[in-house]
């Protein structure tokens, strides 16, 4: 068993001291620090080309990944394991008046002892079994574990059968530019050094699934994440004649009621169930105050998947949107009838019918109606939109749909369903091929070896429950599923593009063996030392050794 606790504690502290909030220059600073650290090791002084600082591709910011590898000499084999982890963190504003101590665990520890804090946090603080600070859990301790193993095998290549590649990537907390940029380089290394990728191990954090949960979790594969979005048009009217039009906010409210927290939209697979979708934005698109009802509204939802494809999700949400639209019109009609009775005015039957289209369906309809002039106009429109660097993919997409809608011959109220952000693909690791069987066997062997030496149950589950870069080293979706994303993402090819072929060419099964702790992304973020700095690196090392055996 590797005696690594003190080394990983020291490394974690070093990494946390560098504030590396996503989309700030801190990402650039920490990548330089990690590259300098690895380059200082004797093995990499002798093999400088084996440690690479790689700038991200198609990125608005200057930032870097660090990719390094060791070639074992124990026995010649091309088998290669990838270790991966991200160097960026979320912000530190939630630390409030302790913000200046957020990246200094020792100072933060002393300061928290003088603060009124929740009981469980206080227990953990006084146990001295936890390190506090931004990034200690998510996920600089995981990166430190990987760097420890890289250093160990750089000093003992004679103990390594096969090869070890470590990818420390930026921008995981936002748009995954880091891991996506690393894929062509991983492919190039594969060709240049004849690497045969047999498995990947991510080191993102794990936490209790419920209060009092004693388990430490390892995950095979990961949840997928989509951002289904809805452009909702109504029929504008003056508020003094409100029943002469249809407020799109009214439809949006019904849609949110229909989709938010709906268990019918939980995806169960292998005995594990995703949380239901939840709204992340609901707004109308009026640029300023007027006494006219809005022309359009915009809503989008977080949506997790285990086995459904992006195409499945669109079909299910079309059904939900039709139900919501029908309910909204029924309520509108009933209220209009009641108002007519109260005001002694005639009731005029509602002229609208529920109408729901995907973006792809609307786009095909407009191409059939208008042809090249429509296509040319939309291409020019997107190019002009790109000049507004403040627009994220979500608002960019909404504006594209809004512009396309102007070309519709029939502009009666409708809901347009589309995707407006990066799709993080789901990954299943079930033993469906030899690589997956070997990875599962290696993991089971490692857990069985170290469980007797650790008091808490180490439990394996199928899907890592949070968004992570694990999604971009393998694909479980077929071409039809991926095409449903590209064809229904209005900003695709302009504001957003993912070369899924790059993923398919790496396509390595991936698991997550990560540090354990509490309150990631929160003020009291903390990592438990014994499991995270002792068990995690040894579990990871055992999986590496087993996978690389001939």
């Amino acid at each position: 068993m590797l005696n690594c606790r003190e080394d990983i504690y020291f490394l974690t502290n070093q990494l946390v001291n560098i504030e590396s909030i996503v989309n700030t220059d801190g990402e650039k600073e920490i990548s330089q620090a990690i590259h300098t650290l690895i380059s200082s090791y004797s093995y990499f002084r002798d093999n400088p080309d084996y440690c690479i600082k790689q700038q991200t591709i198609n990125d608005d910011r200057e930032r870097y990944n660090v990719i390094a590898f060791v070639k074992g000499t124990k026995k010649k084999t091309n088998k290669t394991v990838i270790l991966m982890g991200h160097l960026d963190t979320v912000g530190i504003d939630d630390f409030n008046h302790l913000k200046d101590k957020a990246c200094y665990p020792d100072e933060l520890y002393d300061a928290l002892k003088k603060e009124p804090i929740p009981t469980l946090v206080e227990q953990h603080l006084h146990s001295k079994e936890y390190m506090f600070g931004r990034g200690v859990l998510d996920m600089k301790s995981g990166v430190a574990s990987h760097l420890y193993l890289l250093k160990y095998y750089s000093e003992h290549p004679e103990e390594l059968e096969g090869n070890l590649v470590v990818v420390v990537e930026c921008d995981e907390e936002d748009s995954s530019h880091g891991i996506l940029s690393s894929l062509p380089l991983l492919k190039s290394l594969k060709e240049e050094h004849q690497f045969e990728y047999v498995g990947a191990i991510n080191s993102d954090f794990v936490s209790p699934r419920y209060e009092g949960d004693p388990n430490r979790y390892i995950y095979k594969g990961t949840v997928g994440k989509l951002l289904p979005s809805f452009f909702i048009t109504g029929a504008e009217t003056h508020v003094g004649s409100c029943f002469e039009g249809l407020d799109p906010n009214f439809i949006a409210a019904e849609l949110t009621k229909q989709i938010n927290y709906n268990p019918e939209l939980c995806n169960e697979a292998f005995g594990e169930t995703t949380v239901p979708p939840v709204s992340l934005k609901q707004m109308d698109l009026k640029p300023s105050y007027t006494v006219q009802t809005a022309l359009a509204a915009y809503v989008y939802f977080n949506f997790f998947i285990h086995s459904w494809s992006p195409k499945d999700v669109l079909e299910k949400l079309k059904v939900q949107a039709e139900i919501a639209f029908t309910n909204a019109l029924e309520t509108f009609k009933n209220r209009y009838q009641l108002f007519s009775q109260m005001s002694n005015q005639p009731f005029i039957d509602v002229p609208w019918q529920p109408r729901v289209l995907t973006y792809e369906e609307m786009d095909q309809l407009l191409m059939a109606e208008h042809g090249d002039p429509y296509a040319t106009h939309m291409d020019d429109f997107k190019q002009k939109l790109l000049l507004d660097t403040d627009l994220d993919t979500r608002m960019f997409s909404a504006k594209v749909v809004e512009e396309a809608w102007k070309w519709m011959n029939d502009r009666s109220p409708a809901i347009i369903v589309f995707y407006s952000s990066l799709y993080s693909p789901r990954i299943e690791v079930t033993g469906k091929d030899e690589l997956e069987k070997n990875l599962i066997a290696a993991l089971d062997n490692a857990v069985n070896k170290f469980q007797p030496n650790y008091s808490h149950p180490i439990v394996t589950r199928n899907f890592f429950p949070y968004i992570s870069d694990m999604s971009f080293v393998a694909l479980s979706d077929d071409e039809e599923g991926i095409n449903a994303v590209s064809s229904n993402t209005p900003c695709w090819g302009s504001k957003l593009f993912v070369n899924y072929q790059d993923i398919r060419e790496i396509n390595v099964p991936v698991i997550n063996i990560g540090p354990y702790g509490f309150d990631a992304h929160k003020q009291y973020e903390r990592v438990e030392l014994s499991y995270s700095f002792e068990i995690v690196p040894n579990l990871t090392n055992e999986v590496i050794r087993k996978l690389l055996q001939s």
Side-chain angles (χ1 to χ4, degrees):
M1 185 164 172
L2 297 169
N3 183 18
C4 50
R5 175 168 171 151
E6 287 186 11
D7 287 343
I8 293 176
Y9 186 100
F10 178 74
L11 264 174
T12 300
N13 200 63
Q14 275 190 307
L15 294 173
V16 171
N17 287 167
I18 303 170
E19 184 183 292
S20 56
I21 298 168
V22 68
N23 297 326
T24 70
D25 286 342
E27 287 185 282
K28 188 165 60 170
E29 182 183 347
I30 195 171
S31 64
Q32 180 60 54
I34 292 170
H35 182 264
T36 300
L37 175 68
I38 296 172
S39 298
S40 72
Y41 301 158
S42 175
Y43 181 87
F44 294 100
R45 289 200 303 272
D46 295 339
N47 300 280
D49 293 343
Y50 289 10
C51 181
I52 303 159
K53 191 174 80 165
Q54 179 210 22
Q55 186 168 355
T56 51
I57 302 166
N58 299 322
D59 193 354
D60 294 334
R61 298 195 65 86
E62 182 189 350
R63 49 189 163 189
Y64 299 85
N65 300 319
V66 180
I67 299 174
F69 57 92
V70 172
K71 292 184 176 182
T73 58
K74 182 178 181 182
K75 189 173 183 180
K76 178 61 179 172
T77 172
N78 292 331
K79 288 183 177 180
T80 305
V81 171
I82 300 170
L83 303 183
M84 52 188 287
H86 67 86
L87 53 77
D88 57 316
T89 72
V90 295
I92 57 174
D93 287 345
D94 52 339
F95 282 79
N96 301 315
H97 63 288
L98 299 180
K99 195 172 163 181
D100 61 331
K101 297 177 174 58
C103 297
Y104 298 93
D106 293 340
E107 291 182 26
L108 182 62
Y109 178 85
D110 290 337
L112 286 174
K113 286 194 290 189
K114 303 169 187 173
E115 294 286 314
I117 54 178
T119 303
L120 181 62
V121 177
E122 187 174 20
Q123 290 171 0
H124 289 167
L125 188 73
H126 292 299
S127 74
K128 297 188 178 179
E129 260 299 301
Y130 285 82
M131 177 190 276
F132 286 72
R134 175 57 75 235
V136 294
L137 179 61
D138 184 15
M139 59 172 287
K140 291 181 177 179
S141 54
V143 170
S145 175
H146 285 349
L147 292 177
Y148 173 87
L149 292 171
L150 179 74
K151 183 174 188 285
Y152 179 85
Y153 282 115
S154 76
E155 294 170 347
H156 304 284
E158 75 282 356
E159 295 182 21
L160 182 65
E161 183 176 331
N163 313 293
L164 186 64
V165 177
V166 174
V167 180
V168 187
E169 74 271 13
C170 58
D171 189 35
E172 190 267 359
E173 297 290 1
D174 188 0
S175 300
S176 293
H177 279 103
I179 192 65
L180 290 170
S181 297
S182 77
L183 297 175
L185 180 54
L186 287 172
K187 180 187 174 186
S188 174
L189 293 175
K190 178 180 178 181
E191 293 167 352
E192 181 181 352
H193 299 278
Q194 289 79 53
F195 289 159
E196 177 193 341
Y197 298 131
V198 295
I201 305 171
N202 192 42
S203 57
D204 219 331
F205 77 94
V206 299
S207 286
R209 295 179 57 234
Y210 53 86
E211 188 175 345
D213 183 1
N215 300 321
R216 308 299 189 255
Y217 292 103
I218 295 172
Y219 293 94
K220 302 176 293 182
T222 185
V223 70
K225 190 259 187 187
L226 290 155
L227 196 77
S229 307
F230 300 81
F231 177 83
I232 303 158
T233 69
E236 70 274 18
T237 184
H238 189 283
V239 292
S241 307
C242 59
F243 286 107
E244 292 179 12
L246 182 61
D247 179 11
N249 289 313
F250 184 68
I251 305 170
E254 191 65 44
L255 183 70
T256 297
K257 179 184 173 186
Q258 182 66 31
I259 293 175
N260 239 24
Y261 304 112
N262 187 346
E264 292 178 20
L265 299 173
C266 296
N267 181 197
E268 185 276 331
F270 306 106
E272 297 176 21
T273 304
T274 62
V275 295
V278 65
S279 170
L280 292 176
K281 184 176 282 290
Q282 181 172 322
M283 63 183 291
D284 65 41
L285 298 176
K286 282 177 70 172
S288 60
Y289 172 80
T290 69
V291 289
Q292 184 189 51
T293 57
L295 293 171
Y298 184 37
V299 185
Y300 54 73
F301 300 84
N302 184 77
F303 203 110
F304 287 131
I305 50 175
H306 283 165
S307 62
W308 293 342
S309 73
K311 184 173 183 289
D312 295 333
V313 173
L314 281 176
E315 290 170 353
K316 292 175 187 297
L317 290 176
K318 270 192 77 174
V319 172
Q320 297 297 322
E322 285 163 0
I323 293 170
F325 208 146
T326 300
N327 291 343
L329 288 176
E330 187 65 27
T331 302
F332 179 93
K333 184 174 180 179
N334 291 339
R335 291 180 180 180
Y336 183 21
Q337 285 176 326
L338 183 57
F339 170 76
S340 296
Q341 293 169 9
M342 293 169 65
S343 60
N344 294 315
Q345 296 182 31
F347 169 77
I348 300 171
D349 200 13
V350 174
W352 310 296
Q353 296 296 322
R355 187 161 66 128
V356 181
L357 300 168
T358 64
Y359 175 74
E360 182 180 15
E361 289 168 342
M362 181 180 75
D363 191 54
Q364 289 174 347
L365 178 62
L366 291 172
M367 282 298 299
E369 289 178 349
H370 303 288
D372 288 343
Y374 160 73
T376 302
H377 173 81
M378 292 308 299
D379 286 344
D380 291 344
F381 180 78
K382 291 176 189 178
Q383 288 305 308
K384 290 175 184 174
L385 271 189
L386 287 171
L387 299 175
D388 185 351
T389 55
D390 291 333
L391 279 182
D392 63 14
T393 61
R394 294 157 285 278
M395 285 311 300
F396 188 103
S397 296
K399 286 184 177 294
V400 171
V401 178
E402 184 179 39
E403 185 69 16
W405 177 256
K406 296 174 185 176
W407 286 71
M408 290 286 283
N409 290 333
D410 177 6
R411 288 197 289 273
S412 58
I415 297 176
I416 311 300
V417 191
F418 56 98
Y419 294 123
S420 68
S421 189
L422 178 71
Y423 167 44
S424 298
R426 64 194 175 86
I427 296 179
E428 300 171 2
V429 178
T430 58
K432 58 182 173 289
D433 59 31
E434 202 63 29
L435 286 181
E436 290 190 6
K437 287 175 185 173
N438 291 342
L439 182 57
I440 293 169
L443 175 59
D444 289 345
N445 169 75
V447 171
N448 290 336
K449 179 175 180 177
F450 289 103
Q451 180 66 87
N453 302 317
Y454 186 65
S455 58
H456 294 283
I458 303 172
V459 176
T460 301
R461 288 177 63 82
N462 287 294
F463 297 99
F464 184 67
Y466 314 113
I467 304 160
S468 82
D469 282 343
M470 295 168 71
S471 288
F472 300 106
V473 295
L475 273 182
S476 295
D477 289 307
D478 58 20
E479 287 296 332
E480 188 178 39
I482 294 301
N483 288 340
V485 174
S486 57
S487 300
N488 287 284
T489 303
C491 64
W492 192 262
S494 50
K495 187 77 171 176
L496 174 67
F497 177 73
V498 175
N499 188 346
Y500 287 102
Q501 187 56 35
D502 284 348
I503 302 175
R504 291 196 191 283
E505 288 176 354
I506 300 301
N507 211 35
V508 60
V510 60
I511 59 176
N512 190 84
I513 304 175
Y516 172 85
F518 295 77
D519 293 337
H521 293 205
K522 297 179 184 178
Q523 178 182 9
Y524 302 118
E525 179 176 354
R526 57 202 183 277
V527 63
E528 187 216 47
L529 304 182
S530 295
Y531 180 76
S532 306
F533 294 1
E534 297 175 37
I535 301 299
V536 164
N538 277 284
L539 282 169
T540 304
N541 187 47
E542 188 64 25
V543 173
I544 292 168
R545 287 175 179 264
K546 193 73 173 176
L547 273 181
L548 294 179
Q549 282 179 0
S550 300

